[in-house]
Amino acid sequence: MNRISAINAKKRKPCKPLSERLACELKKNWALYLMILPVMAYFIIFAYIPMSGVVLAFKDFKVKLGIFGSPWAGLKHFRRFFGGYNFGLLLQNTIGISLYSLLAGFPIPILFALLLNYLKYGRLRKTLQMVSYAPYFISTVVICGMIAIFMDADTGIFNQIIVALGGESVDFLSNPRYFKSIYVWSGVWQGMGYSSIIYISALAGVDSSLHEAAIMDGATKMQRIWHIDLPGIKSTIVMLLIMQMGSLMNVGFEKVFLLQNDLNMKASDVINTYVYRVGLIQNNYSYSTAVGLFNSVINMTLVIAANQLSKKLTEESLW
């Protein structure tokens, strides 16, 4: 027994210090670490270092004193925002547009991907894919210009159709009642095709033998979609839903700003446009930083809550 223990002791190598193991790993895979270095540098320079500016939210910023030399203000700017007359309106508009976009924009790419997956004609499928992808590559400025032209009260195509059918022209962009629908459905049209790419890829990975067995058993297309396709891409759907929940409060600033005017401000003024207005136009940097920090904390809370809820209900999660 002692002889066996002695042999095993000789075979067992002494544990190397952590520094030596790290050096060995770096020497062995130096090419991989070199490839990831630009990505790490990008996030450190443009994501992590700017986080130090968040301290502005708790200070009364003075240009001469700088960020770290300015006097502390505590929660003064947060109390000002929460007690402001427009706090409820900003929150209502932001959440309203975000939820509307999520409910309308999230399931449509899934349905579109399922439609393409069941099309028999290859040319038709490729044509639909190309036509649906194209709007994604149009800039936001151009999209907003198109919306303004199409919905013009006098010469817009929508109003011409309404007038031809016996109705009266409507100034859509000046009416707060239509703003959310214009914003959401133009976004659905622009991003539907591009967003469906990942679902099409996931559907390609579903085992074809399951469909063959279902067809032999007489299953309809709807039954195959419900019992084979959707369970097969469930993890992809859950992952993208969690990630989208993390940006629920981040309504696209550029598009809202370009479509916004004094007449639809009641429905179009969101947190991002408010931060721009008080921060860059009114030069109130500390207050705008506090508002932006509030928005970011809410987004982080939503993504953590969505991840935990998904883990409990579907056993799928990001971490």
Side-chain angles (χ1 to χ4, degrees):
M1 194 73 178
N2 293 334
R3 186 178 179 183
I4 294 172
S5 300
I7 293 171
N8 291 335
K10 288 180 180 179
K11 290 181 178 179
R12 194 182 303 119
K13 294 181 180 180
C15 184
K16 294 182 179 180
L18 179 61
S19 58
E20 290 186 19
R21 281 182 286 168
L22 289 175
C24 182
E25 174 69 17
L26 187 61
K27 184 177 180 181
K28 183 179 179 182
N29 299 310
W30 65 271
L32 298 177
Y33 287 107
L34 188 63
M35 289 172 63
I36 202 173
L37 186 61
V39 179
M40 293 177 63
Y42 171 82
F43 280 103
I44 290 171
I45 295 170
F46 295 104
Y48 289 99
I49 292 178
M51 284 184 183
S52 60
V54 170
V55 74
L56 269 178
F58 306 96
K59 291 195 169 191
D60 280 325
F61 180 65
K62 308 293 182 185
V63 177
K64 293 182 179 180
L65 299 176
I67 295 177
F68 298 102
S70 299
W72 285 96
L75 300 177
K76 167 187 171 183
H77 303 298
F78 293 95
R79 287 195 293 267
R80 175 186 167 188
F81 178 56
F82 298 148
Y85 72 94
N86 56 352
F87 172 71
L89 180 64
L90 291 171
L91 203 61
Q92 178 184 338
N93 289 339
T94 304
I95 295 175
I97 293 175
S98 297
L99 286 177
Y100 194 173
S101 299
L102 183 67
L103 294 175
F106 187 76
I108 287 179
I110 301 174
L111 298 174
F112 184 66
L114 291 168
L115 169 68
L116 293 178
N117 191 52
Y118 279 88
L119 277 179
K120 294 181 180 179
Y121 303 104
R123 284 189 178 181
L124 178 59
R125 182 167 60 246
K126 291 178 181 179
T127 302
L128 284 175
Q129 285 179 317
M130 182 185 68
V131 171
S132 64
Y133 296 166
Y136 180 80
F137 300 99
I138 303 174
S139 71
T140 305
V141 176
V142 175
I143 289 290
C144 293
M146 291 169 61
I147 292 172
I149 293 171
F150 292 157
M151 296 190 173
D152 185 85
D154 298 320
T155 60
I157 187 171
F158 290 104
N159 275 307
Q160 288 185 5
I161 294 172
I162 292 172
V163 171
L165 294 174
E168 295 182 359
S169 63
V170 180
D171 193 354
F172 291 102
L173 291 177
S174 298
N175 194 327
R177 187 174 66 176
Y178 300 114
F179 180 84
K180 290 183 176 65
S181 295
I182 292 171
Y183 176 91
V184 170
W185 290 107
S186 61
V188 171
W189 169 75
Q190 185 180 11
M192 176 187 68
Y194 188 82
S195 300
S196 66
I197 292 175
I198 192 167
Y199 298 113
I200 293 171
S201 302
L203 286 168
V206 176
D207 191 354
S208 59
S209 62
L210 296 175
H211 284 283
E212 293 172 2
I215 292 170
M216 292 294 292
D217 289 339
T220 63
K221 286 184 180 179
M222 288 302 300
Q223 289 173 330
R224 287 160 57 195
I225 289 172
W226 186 257
H227 296 287
I228 298 175
D229 290 323
L230 289 178
I233 63 173
K234 182 183 73 171
S235 58
T236 303
I237 294 173
V238 170
M239 295 300 113
L240 292 177
L241 180 61
I242 293 172
M243 292 173 67
Q244 196 158 338
M245 287 295 294
S247 59
L248 189 67
M249 298 286 287
N250 285 338
V251 178
F253 165 77
E254 297 89 354
K255 190 174 178 182
V256 172
F257 182 73
L258 291 170
L259 294 176
Q260 192 177 76
N261 56 55
D262 292 337
L263 297 175
N264 65 23
M265 187 71 74
K266 183 179 178 182
S268 64
D269 199 17
V270 295
I271 290 177
N272 284 339
T273 56
Y274 182 68
V275 169
Y276 165 78
R277 193 163 60 251
V278 298
L280 295 181
I281 296 179
Q282 300 176 11
N283 298 324
N284 199 336
Y285 302 114
S286 295
Y287 179 60
S288 62
T289 304
V291 178
L293 180 59
F294 162 77
N295 202 31
S296 300
V297 169
I298 295 297
N299 279 331
M300 185 181 69
T301 304
L302 286 172
V303 75
I304 292 173
N307 187 75
Q308 294 302 317
L309 185 63
S310 174
K311 187 184 293 186
K312 289 183 179 180
L313 297 179
T314 66
E315 298 182 355
E316 300 281 353
S317 62
L318 285 175
W319 65 84

